[in-house]
Amino acid sequence: MPATDSGQRWVFGFPGGLTAEVHTRGARLHALWVPDRHGTPADVVLAPRDPARTADTARYFGSTVGRYANRIAHGRFSLEGTPYQLATQETGHCLHGGPDGFDTRLWEAESVHTPERTGVLLHLRSPDGDQGFPGNLDVTVSLLIGRDGELSFSYAAVTDAPTPVNLTNHAYFNLEGEGAGDILDHELTVDADHYTPVDEELIPSGDHRPVHGTAFDLRRPLRIGEAQARPGADGGYDHNFVLSPHDDGTLRRAAVLHAPATGRRMEVLTTEPGLQVYTAGQFDGSVLGKSGTPYRSGAGVALETQHFPDAPNRPGDPSTVLRPGGEYRSRTVLRFGTRL
């Protein structure tokens, strides 16, 4: 666990299985080596070659984002009759917790190891008023690899005042290998009957709509390039998909990503009600990846398990409010395998 500009660097895994590299600045998944159908490992997580880029155009790559993943319109919401104004980005909205969100922070870390699981436990204290959010918030995130080929993300938080909380990991994946090209030939399945339409500023523009008959129907495996070329997708996705509800906190399948070229397959399971699919249409080559390849449009895909965008302003959506005496809990599992 040597110290770098990215804080401490933790590498963990099992021989013949998955191996991860996590940085404590941003509680960031920097790399993940996954075997292909022939047993040959490759790093499938995008990250910049220069760690300093995580302070600008690559700031969310692999990071834990919060206090509130996704967008809060105009950075404003009311809670129990009190209005709050959050810090906002240049768009005028609050994205991923604000301009100084959890992705910029140096998290404390300790190792976790059992015969079947190995990884790292990270902790962060977010003080009252942080980016405009009320209450002191204590957050823990664990990233654990199992001998069974799974990478799990477990989140927990407690507060001393009511506050919205919505945490996720913002990794971009390319199952052909980081820097191998684009993900247009990857097949994607999303287990969602509805999605969240957005306006030109990516703020929800109305109620959830059925995916049937739209560009957002990904309930059967479809090449990403083919899917996002359909009318209505505007050449790419940056949308929330509404997953089938489970109210007991159990994991359910949200998505499957498959790269036919390598056979690698990633199944996404989560306790969260939503999945933000972002196919990196805004990548313009300005970020040089770990392999030295510029990341261009479609270089990876983010599958962010979370609550819904702008939920603090939408009473009909599942609540994101955490109160004193309660505990925020969320879990997402990435299950890896191969196909011939």
Side-chain angles (χ1 to χ4, degrees), residues 72-75 85 88-94:
I72 296 178
H74 310 294
Q85 176 63 62
T88 58
Q89 281 89 333
E90 61 276 4
T91 60
H93 306 295
C94 184

Side-chain angles (χ1 to χ4, degrees), residues 4 6 11-12 27 32 41 101-102 113-114 140 159 178 183 202 214 219 240 243 254 307 309 328:
T4 70
S6 299
V11 179
F12 52 91
L32 182 67
F102 290 179
H113 188 74
T114 72
T140 57
T159 183
E178 175 275 329
I183 43 79
L202 300 178
T214 75
R219 292 175 293 181
N240 173 65
L243 306 175
H307 272 58
Y328 172 94

Side-chain angles (χ1 to χ4, degrees), residues 234-256:
D234 297 325
Y237 297 103
D238 194 359
H239 295 78
N240 173 65
F241 287 77
V242 180
L243 306 175
S244 301
H246 280 198
D247 296 328
D248 58 1
T250 57
L251 290 168
R252 62 187 175 284
R253 198 181 83 166
V256 178

Side-chain angles (χ1 to χ4, degrees), residues 1-320:
M1 50 190 147
T4 70
D5 290 342
S6 299
Q8 290 181 328
R9 180 172 64 91
W10 295 72
V11 179
F12 52 91
F14 290 103
L18 308 180
T19 300
E21 179 178 329
V22 171
H23 293 178
T24 54
R25 188 169 300 281
R28 191 177 304 271
L29 179 63
H30 181 77
L32 182 67
W33 288 270
V34 180
D36 66 6
R37 62 166 64 92
H38 304 296
T40 304
D43 181 4
V44 301
V45 168
L46 274 62
R49 170 176 279 189
D50 179 3
R53 298 308 299 270
T54 58
D56 49 57
T57 52
R59 62 172 293 184
Y60 299 122
F61 281 46
S63 65
T64 298
V65 293
R67 286 188 194 192
Y68 199 93
N70 218 309
R71 294 162 178 84
I72 296 178
H74 310 294
R76 295 195 294 264
F77 67 92
S78 292
L79 182 55
E80 298 182 348
T82 300
Y84 293 92
Q85 176 63 62
L86 306 176
T88 58
Q89 281 89 333
E90 61 276 4
T91 60
H93 306 295
C94 184
L95 173 64
H96 296 326
D100 185 22
F102 290 179
D103 62 289
T104 69
R105 311 295 172 82
L106 192 61
W107 295 58
E108 297 177 352
E110 61 183 277
S111 63
V112 177
H113 188 74
T114 72
E116 299 301 320
R117 295 282 186 272
T118 186
V120 62
L121 178 69
L122 301 117
H123 175 260
L124 180 72
R125 160 150 284 216
S126 173
D128 180 35
D130 189 0
Q131 301 296 284
F133 288 96
N136 296 292
L137 188 75
D138 285 290
V139 182
T140 57
V141 179
S142 69
L143 285 80
L144 300 178
I145 283 177
R147 291 187 184 274
D148 51 7
E150 292 184 350
L151 171 64
S152 66
F153 301 81
S154 296
Y155 307 86
V158 294
T159 183
D160 60 5
T163 189
V165 181
N166 184 29
L167 306 175
T168 193
N169 182 271
H170 204 298
Y172 293 95
F173 293 95
N174 185 326
L175 298 185
E176 294 181 12
E178 175 275 329
D182 59 47
I183 43 79
L184 299 184
D185 285 334
H186 283 45
E187 296 172 349
L188 178 63
T189 308
V190 178
D191 295 336
D193 295 330
H194 293 78
Y195 77 103
T196 305
V198 293
D199 63 20
E200 62 278 1
E201 295 183 338
L202 300 178
I203 300 298
S205 57
D207 295 332
H208 309 306
R209 293 181 188 169
V211 300
H212 180 72
T214 75
F216 302 92
D217 192 346
L218 300 173
R219 292 175 293 181
R220 294 181 179 179
L222 197 62
R223 284 182 57 253
I224 290 177
E226 178 183 352
Q228 64 184 23
R230 294 183 294 183
D234 297 325
Y237 297 103
D238 194 359
H239 295 78
N240 173 65
F241 287 77
V242 180
L243 306 175
S244 301
H246 280 198
D247 296 328
D248 58 1
T250 57
L251 290 168
R252 62 187 175 284
R253 198 181 83 166
V256 178
L257 186 67
H258 172 231
T262 63
R264 293 187 185 93
R265 181 179 186 271
M266 183 178 80
E267 188 176 8
V268 182
L269 303 100
T270 188
T271 59
E272 287 296 293
L275 178 76
Q276 186 83 8
V277 177
Y278 177 42
T279 52
Q282 295 180 333
F283 285 12
D284 60 5
S286 61
V287 174
L288 198 66
K290 289 173 287 188
S291 62
T293 302
Y295 291 151
R296 305 191 186 279
S297 178
V301 57
L303 301 172
E304 305 160 62
T305 55
Q306 56 190 294
H307 272 58
F308 301 156
D310 202 31
N313 294 310
R314 298 178 179 273
D317 286 347
S319 176
T320 59

